[in-house]
Amino acid sequence: MISLMINGKQHHYNDDENMPLLWVLRDILKYTGTKYGCGKGLCGACTVHLDGQPIRSCVMPVSAVGKQKITTIEGLSNNGDHPLQQAWQQLNVPQCGYCQSGQLMSAAALLAENPKPTEQDIDLAMSGNLCRCGTYNRIKAGIQMAAGMKVTSFNIDDFALDKQSIDEQAIDKLAMDATAKGVKS
Amino acid sequence: MNKIENVSRRGFLKNLGFSSGALVLGVQFSALLPIPKALAQGLIATTDANKTSFEPNVYLTIHSDNTVAIVVHRSEMGQGIRTTIPMIVADELEADWQKIQVIQGLGDKKYGSQNTDGSRSIRHFYQPLREAGASARMMLEQAAAELWQVPINECQAIKNQVKHAKSNKIVAFGDLVAIAAKLAVPDKTKLVLKSKQDFRFIGKANVALVDGKDIVTGNATFGFDVELPNMRFAVIARPPVLAGKVKSFNSDKAKKINGVIDVIQLDDLTEPAIFKPLGGIAVIATNTWAAIQGRDALEVEWQAGEHGNYNSSSYKQALAKSCDNPTADLRQKGDVSAAFKNANRVVKADYFVPQLIHAPMEPPAATAHFHDGIIDIWACTQTPQSAQSNVAQAIGIAAENVNINVTLLGGGFGRKSKPDFVVEAALLSKQLNMPIKVLWTREDEIKNGYYHAVSYQKLSAGLDSSNKVIAWQHTEAAPTISSTFSKGADTIGFEASLGMIDVPFDIANVYCGAGKATAHTRIGWMRSVTNINHAFAVCSFADELAVASKTDSKDYLLALIGKDRHIDINKENAEYGNYGETLDKFPLDTARLKKVLTQVSNMANWHSNDKGKLPNGHVLGIAVHRSFASYVASVVQISTNAQGKIKLERIYMCVDCGIAVNPERIKSQMEGAAIFAISLAFYGEVTAKAGVIEQGNFDDYPIARMNEVPPIDVQIIASDAPPGGVGEPGVPPVAPAICNAIFAATGKRYRELPLNQYGII
Ligand code: FES
Ligand code: FES
């Protein structure tokens, strides 16, 4: 019997101790926000936190978790209001979205450790997370935005609005901005 | 296809599929509302059967509570279609964005084609979706006119309400649906579409993704995430060689793995492969890990069959030879051999692009539940109707008893428009009589895919004394996609329309031809398809000609494209596919090609003979290509270091895709396409030895990482032309632009991809 503390909730696990944490989370405990991409620690899709440290859950046997607290994407914030999650939505970072749980978990661990990362810090922390859709520049911008820093990798004209804040005025304003800034070249 | 009907006036109960049972969740049949099955099955959180609603057509339902439900019948794989389709409908409807509810359409012929590939969702549905929205808007205005007994032209829909300015009356859409539901749909000739300056969403708003919050909170449902009660997990050991067979196997050890509940042999594949399962042995377990372990424990002896002699190295040599013996003439304009004889000099070059694989971050996955003679399926499919018909055929039931629910796709790139994996799940569920989720591991995805064809191309150009190109010859040998559907097909055909025969240069004598190449893997389409190899060859070669002519690459390209005109290749002994479109509606327009080229060079500060404005050591490369009825030019800025490694410093993309419906997603597609192209240019190579694919994961099939990707600037040309494709056209020009930049920087011309073989990455 293994005890797991996931997103502040206690779970008990009674199966193969060698099963990677990824599959325990996804198949047994139904935390499907954590994704499979390679199963070999090569892509970062399965990234979760153990006591705040980012790890690849696909290559960590559940028995190795011990007493460390697990945080998955579902537990990153209560209502999607982590600054990174907000920045991600403002910038429309995701394309397909499949890699983004892992990207967010890696980015959250980075900012927790290093609240004002340089571009090189970001590259270093994030280059283990693959995105086949190619959202890297917006991910970088999202991290910089969440950190309250200048966005260097992405054209600020492209910032998207939160769905909730779309109203007539904002749309008109954005439309004007877009025209002025060369969406209509 | 584009007929609009007022379904609410029909006795629609029987066409709702409710007769299939089990899916009706408290629907009151006295209500007017047809609950879409996706809704009834709980893929969408809210269901309210008590609404009085009308459904002017299959795309759109307006509920009495004022919500506007828009059915998105295309698959979402990152291109943003679940956001863009509602933008179009909402705009014409004058809907309030906050009242929009997006419903994913099931696989159903009533939607017309749902095959979400070929960069055609907006190309094909922009107009019908606008008409749908406008019809509903006009019906609501008419309903208000009847309600108030005023002329309809005094009633105006604005933001989910209809207003009567004279009397200052306002009524919500929801309060009009009972009247509107009884009205006839306006005749198409009477439909008034909005004019451009009145658009609120189309071409304007930076709209947040409909699925954005679900994605960032881990709540989005992908194919991998589907979960049914009592579901079991299956992974399959597929024959390592295409159409190989199981000679013998022993599953004793596999069955001893904790959690493994069954091992099932699937039927061997008989070619043509089409979308049939590959065969092999399935391991069924209570979780994915047990299934994977069970598969590892299988002892299988495979019999390779006729493709067991496929070796990439010798195959490449055979392709090169085959280029010299074209057996299919694909385009013949003028007299090429005479022109070559008259040429002052001839420039020749060979180009090679290896086999590639899609590698979407989410490998294929499908969940099937066969029960009571029907089958419910959830899958990350780009093509639910094809999944439906293939499943129906495979398990021997009628297509209408196959319900295909489309989940979000964790990337598609063409892989998920081949529903073989859906059929696997269906077969297993039927045989085992339980819900089954089939998951492909990364290794499965790379080793048992539908490959972008390896290609060898030979180009030659004859130049006259003023360096004008008077002869152009392009031959290619590559296995054809047709071989996947017709065994033994050995010559490319329609693929030539993807960037080869439609070479847009003003050259009097042109020959394009193809040699034979027998396929030994399943050949499929991958994002931008053969435009990848054709643009690589053509745009690299154009740059070589510029160098040979000692002319600036951009100026040379502009001259090569020549004067403004619409090119009709069909008049030149060719059959040009034009992505299924007429040349009237989507001409091959050299003016647009030159415009993106000029604009991208402005963006990148490209000055002929003067690159002094760039940071020290930075160099540019340029390429332009039309595909999927859109035009994209790219400039890549690189630097090199003392060790001879190159670094991408910046990428500029300029796209003319006609009317830009959702500029923000168009930009994101260009960003993603550039990165997709970086991956294939740097690393893309899948090889076979004795018929077995040698790569298996991101260690030996790498894709670009964040630290390799430079900032990417995108501009969209303002255009009133009909919308062209967006998802694919950004890919083709980037790899040649990279190689052209490398040449400008180092004087080395790399004609074979990937670039990592040269030690420069
Ligand atoms: S799934 Fe764990 S790193 Fe790829
Ligand atoms: S958003 Fe699709 S893989 Fe990253």
Side-chain angles (χ1 to χ4, degrees):
Chain A
M1 168 87 75
I2 294 177
S3 266
L4 297 170
M5 181 65 90
I6 305 171
N7 302 335
K9 240 180 102 184
Q10 192 80 34
H11 293 268
H12 298 288
Y13 172 75
N14 225 342
D15 214 315
D16 182 355
E17 298 208 338
N18 294 321
M19 190 185 297
L21 177 59
L22 171 68
W23 301 114
V24 175
L25 289 170
R26 288 184 52 83
D27 292 354
I28 313 290
L29 303 173
K30 315 299 180 197
Y31 289 97
T32 53
T34 305
K35 303 303 184 199
Y36 164 87
C38 71
K40 291 197 169 156
L42 301 167
C43 78
C46 64
T47 305
V48 299
H49 296 175
L50 289 193
D51 281 348
Q53 293 300 311
I55 59 111
R56 310 295 187 221
S57 64
C58 69
V59 287
M60 166 156 295
V62 62
S63 56
V65 173
K67 296 217 168 346
Q68 301 173 89
K69 293 195 188 72
I70 301 164
T71 309
T72 70
I73 185 70
E74 291 93 342
L76 184 60
S77 67
N78 285 330
N79 190 30
D81 47 12
H82 188 285
L84 285 164
Q85 289 168 314
Q86 290 186 331
W88 250 237
Q89 288 180 79
Q90 278 210 310
L91 292 167
N92 270 356
V93 169
Q95 287 187 33
C96 80
Y98 191 80
C99 72
Q100 301 296 344
S101 303
Q103 304 280 4
L104 283 159
M105 295 312 284
S106 291
L110 166 68
L111 288 190
E113 179 117 315
N114 179 359
K116 300 279 171 205
T118 63
E119 236 189 291
Q120 287 68 33
D121 295 338
I122 297 175
D123 276 350
L124 199 65
M126 299 302 294
S127 42
N129 285 81
L130 294 177
C131 174
R132 182 59 155 161
C133 296
T135 64
Y136 295 126
N137 289 331
R138 295 195 194 207
I139 289 171
K140 197 179 279 183
I143 294 171
Q144 291 171 326
M145 192 183 196
M149 295 163 65
K150 189 174 149 45
V151 171
T152 56
S153 60
F154 185 69
N155 189 344
I156 202 119
D157 293 352
D158 292 347
F159 277 24
L161 274 184
D162 191 294
K163 183 173 178 178
Q164 275 69 42
S165 66
I166 289 183
D167 60 28
E168 210 76 14
Q169 255 188 343
I171 284 171
D172 289 349
K173 184 180 169 299
L174 259 171
M176 270 167 40
D177 286 352
T179 315
K181 286 174 184 158
V183 168
K184 308 188 156 219
S185 43
Chain B
M1 74 166 193
N2 188 359
K3 184 167 179 288
I4 298 176
E5 255 188 77
N6 183 351
V7 185
S8 28
R9 298 207 303 173
R10 281 201 258 134
F12 48 71
L13 291 180
K14 63 174 182 299
N15 13 327
L16 298 182
F18 287 153
S19 56
S20 54
L23 304 171
V24 187
L25 302 181
V27 177
Q28 295 191 351
F29 287 105
S30 57
L32 274 166
L33 166 67
I35 301 267
K37 270 197 270 181
L39 197 95
Q41 286 170 340
L43 279 185
I44 307 285
T46 54
T47 69
D48 180 359
N50 295 317
K51 295 173 190 166
T52 308
S53 305
F54 91 110
E55 190 180 50
N57 50 61
V58 295
Y59 303 114
L60 179 56
T61 306
I62 297 153
H63 294 288
S64 58
D65 70 354
N66 228 8
T67 54
V68 175
I70 294 170
V71 175
V72 171
H73 64 298
R74 315 286 291 172
S75 298
E76 176 64 67
M77 48 192 164
Q79 81 280 42
I81 203 66
R82 277 167 56 87
T83 303
T84 307
I85 282 180
M87 282 168 66
I88 299 170
V89 178
D91 208 327
E92 283 291 351
L93 175 62
E94 271 298 324
D96 177 349
W97 187 252
Q98 296 188 49
K99 301 288 183 201
I100 301 287
Q101 182 190 18
V102 177
I103 294 170
Q104 187 67 40
L106 292 179
D108 194 325
K109 285 199 200 72
K110 73 180 175 185
Y111 297 124
S113 170
Q114 291 176 273
N115 189 5
T116 316
D117 63 12
S119 296
R120 57 193 161 182
S121 291
I122 299 302
R123 180 148 55 95
H124 286 182
F125 293 99
Y126 176 65
Q127 191 64 15
L129 289 164
R130 287 185 69 190
E131 289 170 5
S135 303
R137 166 178 34 88
M138 290 173 72
M139 291 165 80
L140 290 159
E141 287 171 345
Q142 194 190 335
E146 285 182 17
L147 180 72
W148 295 323
Q149 297 293 311
V150 297
I152 181 170
N153 59 10
E154 292 177 6
C155 298
Q156 200 194 356
I158 298 172
K159 217 182 164 190
N160 254 56
Q161 298 175 323
V162 179
K163 293 185 182 169
H164 185 245
K166 280 192 186 161
S167 65
N168 245 336
K169 279 192 197 128
I170 291 180
V171 60
F173 280 3
D175 295 332
L176 291 169
V177 295
I179 305 173
K182 301 195 181 83
L183 300 174
V185 174
D187 192 80
K188 233 169 128 180
T189 56
K190 305 224 168 69
L191 267 188
V192 184
L193 299 182
K194 276 177 146 183
S195 56
K196 192 165 118 183
Q197 63 270 21
D198 296 331
F199 283 153
R200 286 167 49 217
F201 303 111
I202 296 170
K204 292 189 169 181
N206 286 344
V207 177
L209 296 172
V210 163
D211 299 304
K213 182 159 184 190
D214 284 344
I215 287 169
V216 301
T217 53
N219 289 314
T221 302
F222 294 90
F224 250 67
D225 303 331
V226 173
E227 182 77 39
L228 299 179
N230 302 315
M231 180 185 84
R232 297 292 178 253
F233 301 74
V235 297
I236 301 173
R238 298 175 188 82
V241 179
L242 176 64
K245 296 182 191 331
V246 177
K247 205 166 168 189
S248 65
F249 76 103
N250 182 339
S251 61
D252 293 350
K253 287 183 189 150
K255 284 182 173 159
K256 287 202 186 92
I257 302 281
N258 191 13
V260 170
I261 58 168
D262 214 339
V263 173
I264 289 180
Q265 183 173 2
L266 299 168
D267 288 344
D268 293 330
L269 169 72
T270 319
E271 289 183 275
I274 316 180
F275 302 134
K276 292 180 275 194
L278 288 171
I281 296 166
V283 177
I284 321 297
T286 53
N287 62 76
T288 312
W289 174 242
I292 290 172
Q293 284 206 301
R295 180 173 69 174
D296 289 347
L298 282 175
E299 293 162 318
V300 192
E301 203 184 332
W302 303 100
Q303 190 180 316
E306 64 178 282
H307 301 302
N309 294 325
Y310 174 39
N311 292 300
S312 287
S313 48
S314 53
Y315 195 77
K316 180 180 170 187
Q317 307 314 319
L319 291 182
K321 273 210 195 89
S322 180
C323 278
D324 294 330
N325 296 304
T327 50
D329 301 328
L330 301 167
R331 180 179 174 192
Q332 298 180 80
K333 176 189 185 188
D335 185 342
V336 165
S337 32
F340 272 117
K341 278 188 202 114
N342 294 334
N344 187 41
R345 62 181 167 145
V346 175
V347 179
K348 290 180 183 227
D350 296 0
Y351 300 91
F352 176 74
V353 180
Q355 200 164 231
L356 302 169
I357 191 69
H358 312 79
M361 277 319 289
E362 177 197 39
T367 305
H369 185 199
F370 181 81
H371 61 94
D372 309 313
I374 67 165
I375 191 159
D376 295 319
I377 288 176
W378 289 259
C380 47
T381 175
Q382 289 176 246
T383 173
Q385 286 175 38
S386 167
Q388 185 183 41
S389 58
N390 280 280
V391 165
Q393 201 184 358
I395 67 170
I397 65 174
E400 69 237 36
N401 293 328
V402 179
N403 300 316
I404 306 283
N405 300 275
V406 181
T407 65
L408 291 180
L409 282 60
F413 313 116
R415 172 59 184 93
K416 291 171 183 170
S417 57
K418 291 97 174 171
D420 56 334
F421 60 102
V422 187
V423 179
E424 289 176 338
L427 286 168
L428 289 170
S429 177
K430 186 175 180 212
Q431 181 166 352
L432 291 160
N433 206 16
M434 60 174 76
I436 295 287
K437 174 156 72 177
V438 168
L439 304 110
W440 285 50
T441 63
R442 177 59 55 200
E443 286 78 7
D444 298 341
E445 192 271 330
I446 291 180
K447 288 186 180 296
N448 289 114
Y450 287 83
Y451 300 91
H452 171 88
V454 50
S455 65
Y456 204 100
Q457 300 173 79
K458 296 194 174 190
L459 283 90
S460 34
L463 311 182
D464 70 11
S465 51
S466 64
N467 282 328
K468 187 173 164 46
V469 180
I470 55 168
W472 174 276
Q473 176 163 305
H474 184 172
T475 61
E476 177 174 29
T480 173
I481 290 170
S482 304
S483 63
T484 300
F485 300 90
S486 160
K487 183 166 166 55
D490 61 2
T491 316
I492 60 161
F494 74 93
E495 291 102 329
S497 285
L498 280 62
M500 183 192 201
I501 58 172
D502 48 334
V503 57
F505 301 153
D506 187 13
I507 300 169
N509 305 287
V510 176
Y511 175 80
C512 300
K516 288 194 186 304
T518 304
H520 295 297
T521 57
R522 297 188 292 182
I523 307 296
W525 48 97
M526 186 186 88
R527 191 178 195 177
S528 88
V529 203
T530 47
N531 286 294
I532 292 172
N533 32 306
H534 294 149
F536 174 63
V538 169
C539 298
S540 295
F541 193 55
D543 201 64
E544 299 210 42
L545 295 176
V547 173
S549 310
K550 299 193 170 60
T551 312
D552 172 80
S553 297
K554 181 207 93 183
D555 293 344
Y556 190 85
L557 264 178
L558 286 172
L560 201 53
I561 294 167
K563 58 185 184 309
D564 293 357
R565 68 199 183 284
H566 290 181
I567 302 176
D568 187 351
I569 301 147
N570 293 315
K571 297 206 173 105
E572 296 164 3
N573 295 312
E575 267 175 56
Y576 179 50
N578 200 27
Y579 305 91
E581 306 290 354
T582 63
L583 281 166
D584 282 344
K585 190 171 176 193
F586 290 99
L588 203 175
D589 184 342
T590 57
R592 293 174 73 184
L593 203 60
K594 287 188 291 181
K595 189 161 179 186
V596 289
L597 190 62
T598 306
Q599 177 128 340
V600 83
S601 36
N602 292 340
M603 289 166 69
N605 260 321
W606 182 295
H607 298 293
S608 38
N609 310 317
D610 165 25
K611 297 184 182 139
K613 281 205 169 177
L614 295 172
N616 228 352
H618 286 208
V619 182
L620 304 175
I622 194 165
V624 63
H625 189 72
R626 173 188 182 272
S627 61
F628 304 91
S630 291
Y631 304 76
V632 181
S634 180
V635 168
V636 174
Q637 182 173 328
I638 67 162
S639 63
T640 49
N641 70 10
Q643 289 75 47
K645 306 272 185 205
I646 65 146
K647 177 165 185 269
L648 301 176
E649 297 285 355
R650 205 160 191 105
I651 295 182
Y652 302 88
M653 307 282 285
C654 181
V655 54
D656 175 354
C657 57
I659 295 165
V661 176
N662 188 352
E664 187 280 325
R665 281 296 92 178
I666 293 169
K667 289 189 178 187
S668 76
Q669 282 302 295
M670 292 301 131
E671 293 158 18
I675 295 171
F676 198 88
I678 294 171
S679 291
L680 74 90
F682 280 15
Y683 303 116
E685 181 169 37
V686 174
T687 54
K689 199 170 185 181
V692 181
I693 299 301
E694 296 183 286
Q695 292 71 24
N697 212 316
F698 293 121
D699 48 356
D700 46 20
Y701 189 73
I703 63 173
R705 293 176 183 270
M706 181 185 276
N707 59 325
E708 299 169 301
V709 168
I712 299 166
D713 295 335
V714 182
Q715 283 186 15
I716 303 169
I717 300 276
S719 168
D720 292 325
V726 168
E728 297 172 272
V731 175
V734 176
I738 291 173
C739 291
N740 294 343
I742 295 173
F743 179 84
T746 66
K748 291 214 176 69
R749 177 67 63 182
Y750 296 111
R751 301 187 181 94
E752 298 193 1
L753 296 181
L755 295 170
N756 63 346
Q757 67 188 294
Y758 307 111
I760 58 171
I761 301 301

